[in-house]
Amino acid sequence: MDKQQVLAELRKFLVEVMGLAVDNGYVTLEDKERFIAPAFPQKVQSVIVV
């Protein structure tokens, strides 16, 4: 895997884990969005489906 593939997989994993945390009541949706925002460039954030 190249660097971009690794980063894409890590971002995907982060979104999945945080989604589970929201679904199970560990964090709020707002907290999830605030937590994962630094992992995504601004141009990518607009196309992320949560």
Side-chain angles (χ1 to χ4, degrees):
M1 292 182 134
D2 67 13
K3 180 180 176 181
Q4 292 306 315
Q5 289 173 309
V6 171
L7 291 174
E9 289 300 318
L10 287 172
R11 289 176 182 128
K12 180 179 167 185
F13 177 74
L14 177 60
V15 169
E16 290 177 14
V17 169
M18 291 304 291
L20 289 171
V22 170
D23 292 345
N24 290 297
Y26 291 105
V27 297
T28 66
L29 184 58
E30 294 80 21
D31 288 340
K32 172 195 166 203
E33 292 172 359
R34 206 169 330 150
F35 181 79
I36 68 172
F40 297 93
Q42 189 64 29
K43 63 182 178 181
V44 175
Q45 288 180 17
S46 61
V47 296
I48 296 172
V49 177
V50 184

